[in-house]
Amino acid sequence: MTLLAALAARYDRMAAEGHAPIPGFAPAKIHYTVVLSDAGEVRAVQAEPRDAKGRIVREVMAPQAPKRTAGVASGTFWDKTSYALGCTAVDPGEAPERQARNAARCAQEHAAFKLRHEALLADPDLDDAGCRALLAFLGRWDPADYDALDHAPEMLDQNVAFRLEGETRFLHDRPAVRAALAGEAAARAGGAAGLCLVTGAVAPIARLHPSIKGVPGAQSSGAALVSFNLDAFNSFGRSQGFNAPVSEAAAEAYGSALNALVSEQIGKDKKGNPVWANRIRLGEDTVVFWADTAEAEAIVRGLLDPPVDDATETQAIRDVLRRIERGERIGDATFLVEPETKVYLLGLSPNAARLSVRFWREGTLGDLAQRFQEHWADMRIEPAPRERLVPVWALLYELAPLRKIDKGLVHLAGEMMRAIVTGSPYPGALLAQALMRMRAEHDASGLRVALIKAVLNRRERKAWEAAHRADPTLPDWKDRWMSLNRDEPNEGYRLGRLFAVLEAAQYTGLGRRVNAGVKDKFFGSASATPRHVFPSLLRGVQDHLSAARKRNRQGRANRLEAEMREILAGFPSPGIFSATLRPEDQGAFVVGYYHQDADLRIPRVKDEIIETAETASDTDEQD
């Protein structure tokens, strides 16, 4: 199923459940409401609810805003004050000529608003008190009276809607108004007919597709998923939407469904930020997801963004995720959904007035759960950096400078999510980015090491799967990067272990007198060019071990010396190291360092148990 067809089907499901957005309507931020009497007189101006920061608390469904750039195009039953009330802010510092042009433009916009509603509500059979009140207001309103309104100064250039006195709904929510808008849409659809690429039926083709609002980073007025605005995009003499023929009904359906998916909230987190029902942020990208059932959507949300709190409503989902993480199939982890339930993932990236599709995937819940099982297994490392499942967006912070995501990671975010949901190898840039951040910040954090281990593990597993298909007699696959492996022959891994021992020897011998340790000075160069670094480090380690023995750290010094001998014995030519290491071996260096460093923090012999408190204080300085 294509993306647009899946969204149209989503709309049909919402309509069957009575939750479908109104065709031709989209989320809008209404700042002020003008309350009218039956005769069209202004009774009051009410400010819509705002939060402590002055932001609108909720968006309302209103007739979709027109697409306008430099031209004049009026909204329907709501718009900014220059259209609805004929007033706009005036900059006293501007030249008189520019002020005159702005005043003329404002008059044109207000005139367009009047003409728009006079034409829409001209039907003599349209007998509705709200429609009559708005027409009466537009006929008697004088922009010169604006300053007498409540909230006049702060309302300038804000969005204004209308409400009839004694009612709580807006005028555009009245049944007669919606009927008039539906009739207008049907008349407008009477244009050129063609074969719809979504439904396969012959129907009037949409010249312009609906705007999608609420995608972070895109224009607040909305961005187009399908649009053609240059001659280079046209073919066979067609223009605009006729290059990709989609019927008016299908365009409204997919636009309404996507707007609803992007805008729906399910609550707020502990910091007061909104929690979205069907979307998550991934760097600059937005991942929109949905499924054929609400229960499946809850599980997909948990896979993409595992819950981190202990709220009762997330307990069931958290239990299901834990069972999936342990390797259980979705059908065994929960009986609420079928493994064959369809799920859909859409990655969107803002691109000026348009939306770029980063990835689109249609599959089953069972397949998606299996892909995340593979991802979590690839990330698994001992000791575990965190007890809870780590969301994909949290991993991006480990790749960003000072853990602040910038635009340089936009492409990597989409490629990373694509690799997870398709089971393909992780992008090569993921390993390079993680290594670069470690060298720059001297921080081999658990999550960064887990990411590097995941890249290495998946590459090797994919190679084994290809070889196993050719030769089914091959031994079973084994994850060799999970925990400390003293038999691992990889040079990068053994050098990483050796570096951890040399660092521990320095801190054991010098203790708190170390201002900048070997990790701060040599971590990056040791992992990339070991031949230039390790000989000098090995010459100096004996001094550190001697200092440790003088500090009554005999047991610790003996253990470090034994570890060093065991590691060096694994090299074909002791003391001769490679001039450079490949990126894959540099990644193995980091994993080996992580494993050995964690192992050295655990007391092993009786003599060290007496020194545990001092050892802990010394090794803590290595973090």
Side-chain angles (χ1 to χ4, degrees):
M1 187 181 296
T2 65
L3 166 59
L4 299 187
L7 286 170
R10 166 73 180 195
Y11 178 84
D12 293 339
R13 192 188 109 196
M14 294 168 66
E17 296 172 350
H19 301 146
I22 307 160
F25 279 54
K29 292 183 178 180
I30 304 299
H31 302 93
Y32 294 90
T33 303
V34 177
V35 180
L36 302 177
S37 68
D38 291 339
E41 299 172 337
V42 177
R43 295 299 193 193
V45 174
Q46 299 173 348
E48 292 300 305
R50 300 171 185 260
D51 60 17
K53 296 183 179 179
R55 298 173 298 192
I56 294 297
V57 172
R58 65 184 179 93
E59 292 184 335
V60 300
M61 298 302 294
Q64 195 166 39
K67 292 185 176 182
R68 56 191 176 211
T69 53
V72 175
S74 171
T76 308
F77 288 94
W78 70 277
D79 213 321
K80 57 183 180 178
T81 56
S82 60
Y83 279 90
L85 301 174
C87 289
T88 187
V90 177
D91 184 357
E94 288 183 333
E97 298 80 3
R98 186 172 180 81
Q99 291 186 17
R101 286 197 303 269
N102 291 342
R105 169 71 180 227
C106 184
Q108 291 176 0
E109 293 176 349
H110 184 55
F113 190 83
K114 292 176 63 175
L115 291 174
R116 165 81 178 112
H117 292 84
E118 288 172 355
L120 176 65
L121 307 177
D123 187 354
D125 296 331
L126 185 61
D127 187 17
D128 178 75
C131 296
R132 290 195 303 269
L134 181 61
L135 288 176
F137 165 77
L138 294 175
R140 71 196 305 168
W141 171 251
D142 185 352
D145 298 332
Y146 176 84
D147 291 337
L149 298 177
D150 296 334
H151 308 290
E154 58 269 27
M155 185 169 56
L156 280 173
D157 296 325
Q158 300 292 303
N159 290 335
V160 174
F162 297 90
R163 181 182 290 132
L164 200 60
E165 187 179 21
E167 295 187 354
T168 58
R169 60 183 174 178
F170 295 105
L171 290 187
H172 57 252
D173 290 327
R174 299 177 68 86
V177 171
R178 294 188 176 180
L181 292 172
E184 182 186 54
R188 185 174 62 249
L195 182 65
C196 176
L197 296 178
V198 175
T199 64
V202 176
I205 300 301
R207 184 177 67 88
L208 297 176
H209 286 232
S211 295
I212 309 303
K213 293 186 175 183
V215 176
Q219 290 186 354
S220 59
S221 58
L225 191 62
V226 179
S227 68
F228 304 84
N229 68 328
L230 296 176
D231 292 339
F233 304 153
N234 299 332
S235 60
F236 298 99
R238 298 182 178 92
S239 62
Q240 295 184 323
F242 297 104
N243 285 282
V246 176
S247 66
E248 290 272 2
E252 289 290 345
Y254 92 71
S256 299
L258 187 52
N259 272 312
L261 289 168
V262 169
S263 62
E264 185 178 357
Q265 298 182 24
I266 57 174
K268 293 186 177 181
D269 60 18
K270 294 180 179 179
K271 296 182 178 180
N273 299 316
V275 177
W276 307 97
N278 293 88
R279 87 179 200 214
I280 65 167
R281 287 293 301 276
L282 194 62
E284 294 293 321
D285 292 350
T286 298
V287 179
V288 183
F289 58 90
W290 67 98
D292 286 348
T293 66
E295 293 80 8
E297 283 184 2
I299 295 176
V300 175
R301 185 184 305 112
L303 292 172
L304 295 174
D305 190 9
V308 296
D309 56 67
D310 296 324
T312 304
E313 58 269 20
T314 65
Q315 182 64 48
I317 297 300
R318 192 165 51 251
D319 292 343
V320 171
L321 294 179
R322 284 299 183 189
R323 300 185 68 176
I324 294 175
E325 185 194 15
R326 290 196 296 267
E328 297 185 29
R329 296 185 304 173
I330 189 68
D332 299 327
T334 177
F335 60 87
L336 296 177
V337 294
E338 294 293 331
E340 298 304 314
T341 304
K342 287 287 188 181
V343 297
Y344 309 90
L345 298 176
L346 170 62
L348 297 175
S349 178
N351 182 17
R354 291 165 184 78
L355 297 175
S356 298
V357 177
R358 286 291 184 188
F359 59 86
W360 159 246
R361 178 162 177 81
E362 172 190 357
T364 65
L365 182 60
D367 179 64
L368 184 66
Q370 182 180 352
R371 295 291 177 251
F372 271 90
Q373 283 177 340
E374 294 173 357
H375 166 65
W376 292 331
D378 288 333
M379 288 278 298
R380 194 171 295 125
I381 192 170
E382 296 177 2
R386 292 189 185 180
E387 295 182 1
R388 299 180 184 272
L389 295 174
V390 181
V392 180
W393 58 263
L395 298 177
L396 288 177
Y397 285 98
E398 300 297 322
L399 304 174
L402 302 178
R403 291 180 171 81
K404 294 181 180 179
I405 297 179
D406 57 10
K407 293 184 179 180
L409 292 176
V410 171
H411 182 71
L412 183 58
E415 292 298 318
M416 186 175 170
M417 178 59 78
R418 183 184 292 109
I420 293 173
V421 300
T422 62
S424 58
Y426 293 104
L430 179 59
L431 176 61
Q433 183 73 18
L435 291 173
M436 181 176 66
R437 297 279 24 106
M438 284 189 181
R439 285 195 291 266
E441 301 175 12
H442 313 293
D443 182 10
S445 70
L447 284 182
R448 284 177 176 169
V449 178
L451 274 172
I452 291 175
K453 181 261 181 182
V455 174
L456 299 178
N457 194 66
R458 181 164 294 198
R459 285 183 181 179
E460 295 185 359
R461 179 165 52 82
K462 290 296 180 182
W464 177 88
E465 290 174 354
H468 187 263
R469 286 192 293 268
D471 182 8
T473 62
L474 286 176
D476 292 339
W477 162 256
K478 183 179 180 181
D479 183 352
R480 65 191 180 114
W481 307 109
M482 173 78 73
S483 57
L484 180 63
N485 185 359
R486 299 182 182 277
D487 298 325
E488 174 56 51
N490 180 276
E491 181 183 13
Y493 186 83
R494 299 191 75 84
L495 287 173
R497 291 182 57 204
L498 180 59
F499 191 85
V501 173
L502 296 175
E503 181 190 22
Q506 182 188 44
Y507 278 98
T508 302
L510 303 181
R512 299 182 182 277
R513 289 178 291 168
V514 179
N515 293 322
V518 295
K519 179 180 175 183
D520 300 317
K521 294 180 179 180
F522 303 111
F523 187 85
S525 56
S527 64
T529 57
R531 183 180 298 175
H532 299 288
V533 177
F534 277 95
S536 62
L537 292 180
L538 288 171
R539 286 192 297 269
V541 71
Q542 293 302 327
D543 294 336
H544 298 150
L545 293 176
S546 297
R549 291 185 174 97
K550 292 177 181 178
R551 297 178 62 205
N552 295 323
R553 305 295 302 278
Q554 183 71 32
R556 178 72 169 174
N558 291 342
R559 179 186 173 189
L560 293 175
E561 194 167 22
E563 290 280 6
M564 187 168 55
R565 285 198 302 268
E566 180 268 324
I567 295 171
L568 289 173
F571 288 93
S573 301
I576 300 178
F577 310 109
S578 297
T580 60
L581 293 181
R582 301 177 307 154
E584 293 81 2
D585 293 329
Q586 293 180 38
F589 179 99
V590 172
V591 176
Y593 169 84
Y594 181 80
H595 285 158
Q596 188 67 60
D597 179 68
D599 183 74
L600 290 174
R601 295 173 186 270
I602 304 174
R604 282 286 187 269
V605 296
K606 183 176 181 180
D607 292 339
E608 290 187 47
I609 296 178
I610 302 175
E611 305 167 357
T612 299
E614 184 179 358
T615 301
S617 64
D618 286 346
T619 55
D620 283 345
E621 298 176 28
Q622 302 174 49
D623 296 339

